[in-house]
Amino acid sequence: MEEKMIPVYLITGFLEGGKTSFLNFTMSQEYFADGEKTLLIVCEEGEEEYSESMLADNNTVMATVEEEYELDEEFLKKLDRKYHPERVLIEYNGMWSVKKFLEKQLPHYWGIYQIITILDGSSFQLYLNNIKSLAMELVTYTDLVIFNRCDENTPLATYQRSVKAVNRRAQVVFEDENGEMENPEEDLPYDLEADVIEIDDRDYGIWYIDVQEHHERYEGKKVKFLAQLMTSDEFPAGLFVPGRNAMTCCADDITFLGFISSYKGPRKIQTGEWARIVVTVKWEYSAVYKEEGPVLYVSEIVPEVKPKEELIYF
């Protein structure tokens, strides 16, 4: 008989960000009360706690971990042998590396099913300012980001772009004190109705994210922007990537952001050269992406000097 895979849910986020509240709420829902044996592993102690009666009512056992090194393969195997869980919830310490955890060997038939990141919208900017690399790692590997405690002063669009810059597939949800808030509709800093949409250098990051999130806005439209041109021997003839380098995480994490582009003109594309280009945006399958995505058809390339500020931000 084939053994059942045991799903592991990793709940990440910084201390007092709302992870325990989220798990308490989740375990109190009817869909959770299905009788399955749940193992809850708690990796940090916040102000809110789990009541013994709630755990018992939901057939849940709890184990605690104080140090990152303790959460190793042998410890997890011991818990598996002791409790024989049918699912595992891990309230992970936000100061520990998610990447390192994902590299750990889990017990046989345990598998990461979902990673959820809970962040306090009122204080996330402080983490971005002070420990940006760690804050961005939290959202790099996640499936769902929930920004709670948001209000009218929370820079929703900035947070959303920051997440999408490093993790395009992540779903981003914003909640106010009542647990309800619509995702931001940002006023774009360029004219979508112009015959040629001109992207200012400082707005390239906004455009790069928005094309992927709302490709219908740009389908068939002409766009003009400054880019560094990159080629590859692996690309078919006539294809290259114009883009910009972005600091998505920290000074040591520079990523080149661009879309595959098709050029049938007479000039030869030189890797590393700068140019202001005019493109027509299409959303279609590309063998380079191995899926559908933005494909730019280039109609104009005008060489330009390298800008004073090469990096773009979000």
Side-chain angles (χ1 to χ4, degrees), residues 33 48 64 92 134-135 151 159 162 183 185 196 210 252 298-299:
E48 187 167 347
T64 59
Y92 199 63
L134 187 56
D151 59 28
Y159 288 174
S162 295
N183 278 23
E185 283 294 334
V196 178
D210 201 56
D252 295 327
V298 182
S299 57

Side-chain angles (χ1 to χ4, degrees), residues 245-262:
N245 281 312
M247 186 184 296
T248 55
C249 181
C250 57
D252 295 327
D253 189 6
I254 305 299
T255 304
F256 187 75
L257 303 179
F259 301 122
I260 196 70
S261 300
S262 174

Side-chain angles (χ1 to χ4, degrees), residues 207 219-225 238-240 242 259-265 277-286 293-301:
W207 175 75
E219 180 68 31
K221 293 189 176 182
K222 288 187 175 182
V223 181
K224 185 176 184 179
F225 58 91
L239 296 186
F240 72 103
F259 301 122
I260 196 70
S261 300
S262 174
Y263 177 63
K264 305 299 184 182
I277 67 175
V278 177
V279 306
T280 299
V281 180
K282 296 289 185 180
W283 185 271
E284 58 191 31
Y285 178 84
S286 169
V295 177
L296 311 182
Y297 288 85
V298 182
S299 57
E300 184 178 325
I301 300 179

